[in-house]
Amino acid sequence: EVQLVESGGGLVKPGGSLRLSCEASGFTFSSYSMNWVRQAPGKGLEWVSSISSSSSYIYYADSMKGRFTISRDNAKNSLYLQMNSLRGEDSAVYYCARESGTISGVLVDPWGQGTLVTVSS
Amino acid sequence: DIQMTQSPSSLSASVGDRVTITCRASQGITNYLAWFQQKPGKAPKSLIYAASSLQSGVPSKFSGSGSGTDFTLTISSLQPEDFATYYCQQYNSYPRTFGQGTRLEIK
C-alpha cells in the first residue's frame, strides 16, 4: 500500500524552528517528485514547496523563500521541511504529497494525513 | 503568479442533483489543472488531473473539462458522500496555486 506519514509538528514560539518529516512506503520513493502543501485552520489549501526526485529542482512559495528548506533522503524514503523564523501565519496542517508525471499530465496523489504546526507564544 | 478563482464559493444541492464548479485562471495554463476533494478533518484526495483525466478509482460521475483559462468540474447524481470542499490547482508554472475552494453542502 502506498503511504505517506508526516511527523514533527507541534507548538513552537514565534521566531522558532521546526523540522517536519514525511516517511514514504509502498513505492519507489526515489522515482517521484514530492510536495508540501499546508492548510491554515478553516482556510484553503496553500502550496508550500516541491522537490524533484533527485533534488535537482526545488521550488518554494514566495512567502516561504529564505525561511523554509525542503530536502529529501532517498536512502531513507523520507522528505523533510525545515521551517525557520516561524510566524503565527505559518500555523497550519502540513501535508506531504507524491507527484507522478503521466502521459496526460501531473498527478498529485496520495497525500499524507498531515501534521499540525502551531506557532504561538 | 497565476491566480485561480473558483465559483461559486459555496453551493447547496440535493441528493441526486448534478452540479458544476468553475475554476478560472488569470492566464492560460493549457490543461495543467487538477481537482481535489477534501472532507472535514481529512487530507485532500485527487479526483481529476490534466483537466479531464479521471484519477484511478474515482467514480465516473466526476468529470472535468476545459483548457486555457476556463475549467469545470461536474458531479452528476450527488450522493451524501460527495458533500465536501473542492479545490482546483494549476501546475502550469511555479508557484503552483490553488483556487479558494468550493464548499458543497446538502440542501
Side-chain angles (χ1 to χ4, degrees):
Chain A
E1 179 193 4
V2 175
Q3 196 171 13
L4 298 170
V5 178
E6 300 95 336
S7 61
L11 176 63
V12 60
K13 290 182 169 54
S17 298
L18 212 54
R19 189 196 197 205
L20 305 184
S21 299
C22 170
E23 184 171 347
S25 59
F27 66 98
T28 305
F29 179 72
S30 59
S31 296
Y32 293 86
S33 294
M34 297 294 294
N35 295 269
W36 287 101
V37 175
R38 72 182 185 183
Q39 186 170 38
K43 302 297 185 183
L45 300 174
E46 180 181 22
W47 173 80
V48 172
S49 182
S50 298
I51 185 169
S52 62
S53 58
S54 61
S55 304
S56 297
Y57 300 97
I58 288 175
Y59 305 92
Y60 298 98
D62 288 346
S63 61
M64 292 132 211
K65 276 181 191 172
R67 300 190 302 124
F68 289 12
T69 302
I70 191 172
S71 63
R72 64 191 296 161
D73 186 335
N74 287 342
K76 294 183 178 179
N77 292 334
S78 292
L79 173 73
Y80 306 103
L81 186 68
Q82 176 68 43
M83 304 186 295
N84 299 329
S85 303
L86 283 163
R87 309 164 180 163
E89 55 265 37
D90 295 319
S91 296
V93 174
Y94 285 74
Y95 297 101
C96 64
R98 185 184 75 173
E99 179 174 314
S100 307
T102 74
I103 293 174
S104 301
V106 169
L107 172 62
V108 179
D109 186 82
W111 296 55
Q113 85 289 350
T115 187
L116 177 63
V117 172
T118 303
V119 183
S120 175
S121 55
Chain B
D1 298 0
I2 298 175
Q3 308 303 317
M4 305 300 293
T5 304
Q6 284 182 236
S7 60
S9 296
S10 63
L11 177 59
S12 292
S14 300
V15 172
D17 282 355
R18 179 175 184 265
V19 298
T20 296
I21 298 168
T22 297
C23 181
R24 174 165 289 176
S26 61
Q27 63 189 78
I29 59 171
T30 59
N31 70 332
Y32 297 138
L33 184 101
W35 288 98
F36 299 91
Q37 177 195 64
Q38 187 179 34
K39 297 181 180 178
K42 300 294 186 182
K45 171 188 171 184
S46 172
L47 297 176
I48 302 279
Y49 63 102
S52 60
S53 295
L54 197 65
Q55 159 69 328
S56 176
V58 173
S60 59
K61 63 179 175 179
F62 292 93
S63 63
S65 65
S67 67
T69 60
D70 294 313
F71 302 86
T72 59
L73 172 69
T74 299
I75 312 169
S76 61
S77 187
L78 281 171
Q79 296 302 305
E81 61 269 22
D82 300 328
F83 292 92
T85 301
Y86 293 85
Y87 295 92
C88 62
Q89 184 199 25
Q90 66 81 19
Y91 52 87
N92 179 79
S93 63
Y94 290 96
R96 293 182 174 175
T97 40
F98 287 91
Q100 80 279 15
T102 294
R103 185 175 179 181
L104 177 57
E105 301 174 316
I106 298 178
K107 186 181 289 184

